[in-house]
Amino acid sequence: MTIQDPAALTASEQAALGSGADFWSTKQVGDVPSLVLTDGPHGVRRQVGASDHLGIAGSEPATCFPPAVGLGQSWDASLTEQVGAALGVESRALGVDVLLGPGINIKRDPRCGRNFEYYSEDPHLSGRLAASWVQGLQGTGVGASLKHFAANNTEHDRMRSSSDIAPRPLREIYLRAFQHVVQQAQPWTVMCSYNRVNGTYASENHWLLTQVLRDEWGFDGVVVSDWGAIQDRVKAVTAGLDLEMPGSGGGADQQVVDAVDAGELDAGVLAQAAGRMVALAAKAEAGRAVRVPAFDADAHHALARQVAARCVVLLKNEPVSKRAVLPLCEGSSVAVIGEFAQTPRYQGGGSSHVNPTRVDVPVDEIRALADGGVVTYAAGFTTDGSGDLAALREEAVLSASAADTAVVFLGLAAHQESEGFDREHLELPAEQLELLADVVRVQPRTAVVLSHGGVLRLAPLSGIAPAILDGALLGQAGGGAIADVLFGRVNPSARLAETVPVRLQDTPAYLDFPGEHSHVAYGEGLFVGYRWYDARDMAVTFPFGHGLSYTSFAYSGLELAADAQGITASVTVTNTGERAGREVVQFYVAKPSSSIARPPQELKGHAVAELAPGRSARVTVFLDRADLAYWDIRGDRWVVEGGTYEVRAAASSRDIRETAAVEVVGDEFVLPLTLNSTLGEVMATPGAAEVLGALMPMPQAAADNDALGIDMAKMMASIPVGRLISFAGGAVTRDDLGKALAQLNASQA
Ligand code: BGC
């Protein structure tokens, strides 16, 4: 069918299109069909009975893939694309037109309760993983909803709090991943966040929703509110918001119509919003005709297992009696310890909570792969504090001492972290660490498996355990995936997408989180995550990008070539071990001498190399010129600074293997000289010494002023030239100076 021209709709029909019919669907208006939106992002939470946005009421069974905290650790865009496509198939089977994800807010502080729903502390990684997720999903005829736009980095006071951010970090850190996904993957919708951005609600923020998102980035889809994010619909429509969810029983629709009648809201703005809703309905209708495979729950469970295994980071694997603890030998005996091995923690709480089709039990999966080896299980602790802890610990220690290896499952329980509130600390429960210490005392060959949504302080644990696998949250097939990695059926290749700090007190936003009186000052500016620890040269427990393998890799021959589009970097990676493996090759860019504040290095490219033992591959990535740019507040624009750039091929942000340098031609960005330009700025312009020298004596360099003990040239460099008029005692006039500057400006044009 062809859908009606939005201009033919009345104002009240247009307003009606802009709010939900119920919790999850839009209204049918005239011949514009209703469409269904549903959470998202790591599974389809389709509610057909009671509905809510907090994950309380039930939902239809669907595959629970690894939440973003796990998926982000894969660093693998082809994997996120596959997950997106599988979610699309399930969405289609469950009658969903728009799946509410991906969530790509930057993990600014490890305490943010919702970090498990986000990919990384780094915008490059978040943007790349999310763009391919969107492409995978939308290829099945189901729309994405990129969320939460923008700067939604804390759960505390999330519906009022203002994220107060300077322009550079806002653009370079918090908006950059959104920009990438919008421009590369064209999500059908963007979801505006609950919070305010620099004082204005995201839902009412014309700068954010119209100037930046649509005018600068070219977004032509629908902006939908987060559920309940709108406090003034008229202001929201004026700002560029198209769809209020879940809807307000029609009350706000009438306010919109009244505002048009009263001349307070431009009828054209309402018509545009309605037009975008009509276009979305048309996309959904076309999407329903895209052919996709039938949803096969078993096949998706198998895919979820493969994906999850790629998300497990081997943090540490030391030899005990000359042999690394992992992988486990098939046929050997294993003491599996820890309640999470029996009742796995595999997803987070809140709106993203999926009703899984089934859940792998880790200890059962370990048994299934043990190849006759005896596998025992002891809980060791409880997550709710019930039970006789001393007896549980004694039983666990006894089982550990009797086995060849102990595998101890530790982590955070569901109630300790969730959407809706932040954590207060990064600690593992003390009883878990005590249990581990007792186990290691009797069983040196001990590996820890971690389950958690937010970063944990691992220094104490790392001091005890010789081997650690970090599963973060792995979804419903995490148990099988862990077994695959423990036994080496899958060689781990995942990498940390967040730094593990030594202490909470070391973290970048420690003093500003979660803010006060509904304001959060982003005082650390650009220095988020590894950018902070690197700039301050601080020790970390495990760096961003870290992750080991059961094999080893060598890097050689980094070569760079710059052209007008960016830098092409290639490096040879060789598998120097005895097993096939995958290496995540990371490219960090540094600009050693720069006129602006910069993090010491920033991730600008990465690629995955899959190599058989002894084999080499040339890994080539393209570092887009746009990604080298910084946001210049003087011109409100992106600028690539010219000069020498250093590119580092690395196995982690702290494991740089090869470094090379390349010259990059800078952008033409000349600010016109004014009377408020400093003498230093003017003198940096070719010909300035002669032009100004003709008007007045120029300051002398240090060597000529030794007797005075000052460097006159340096001292005067920061004086705006207009102020020199008063120092020159009438020798120079404003007019003379103005003409001289005009002459210099003309010579630059
Ligand atoms: C969350 C969104 C979610 C929506 C619908 C909100 O509370 O912030 O991420 O998509 O609810 O459940």
Side-chain angles (χ1 to χ4, degrees), residues 587-644:
F587 293 87
Y588 294 86
V589 173
K591 175 94 182 51
S593 71
S594 173
S595 62
I596 51 157
R598 284 180 185 267
Q601 58 176 7
E602 297 185 276
L603 181 76
K604 296 294 178 188
H606 76 279
V608 182
E610 191 151 4
L611 290 166
R615 301 305 292 263
S616 298
R618 193 84 184 142
V619 173
T620 301
V621 297
F622 181 68
L623 314 176
D624 201 325
R625 181 176 174 88
D627 291 331
L628 303 179
Y630 72 92
W631 184 258
D632 196 308
I633 58 165
R634 298 166 304 171
D636 259 352
R637 53 165 282 195
W638 292 104
V639 173
V640 174
E641 201 181 6
T644 307

Side-chain angles (χ1 to χ4, degrees), residues 337 377-380 389-401 435:
I337 293 167
Y377 169 71
L389 276 185
L392 289 173
R393 191 178 302 172
E394 199 181 315
E395 181 201 6
V397 170
L398 207 65
S399 72
S401 64
L435 166 74

Side-chain angles (χ1 to χ4, degrees), residues 23-24 37-41 45 47 52-55 99-101 103 114 117-118 145 147-148 152 155 158-159 191-194 225-229 245-246 350-352 419-420:
F23 229 86
W24 300 119
L37 307 95
T38 275
D39 286 308
R45 187 171 70 94
Q47 295 183 313
D52 67 279
H53 65 299
L54 299 171
L99 189 65
L100 302 175
R114 221 171 171 183
E117 271 190 72
Y118 303 138
S145 195
K147 67 189 189 183
H148 307 89
N152 181 191
E155 288 298 280
R158 67 173 172 165
M159 296 185 91
M191 185 192 291
C192 80
S193 53
Y194 286 129
S225 72
D226 198 344
W227 268 232
M245 287 303 288
S351 62
S352 68
E419 176 180 347

Side-chain angles (χ1 to χ4, degrees), residues 643-713:
T644 307
Y645 284 72
E646 199 177 287
V647 177
R648 304 164 179 176
S652 88
S653 61
R654 296 257 166 121
D655 186 1
I656 310 296
R657 300 293 185 85
E658 288 269 299
T659 298
V662 68
E663 287 301 307
V664 171
V665 179
D667 282 340
E668 280 289 323
F669 178 51
V670 182
L671 283 169
L673 298 171
T674 67
L675 291 174
N676 213 28
S677 303
T678 64
L679 188 58
E681 287 161 358
V682 175
M683 294 302 279
T685 310
E690 297 80 65
V691 174
L692 282 198
L695 286 182
M696 58 184 146
M698 286 293 103
Q700 301 301 302
D704 301 328
N705 287 286
D706 264 358
L708 299 175
I710 51 175
D711 183 332
M712 195 64 88

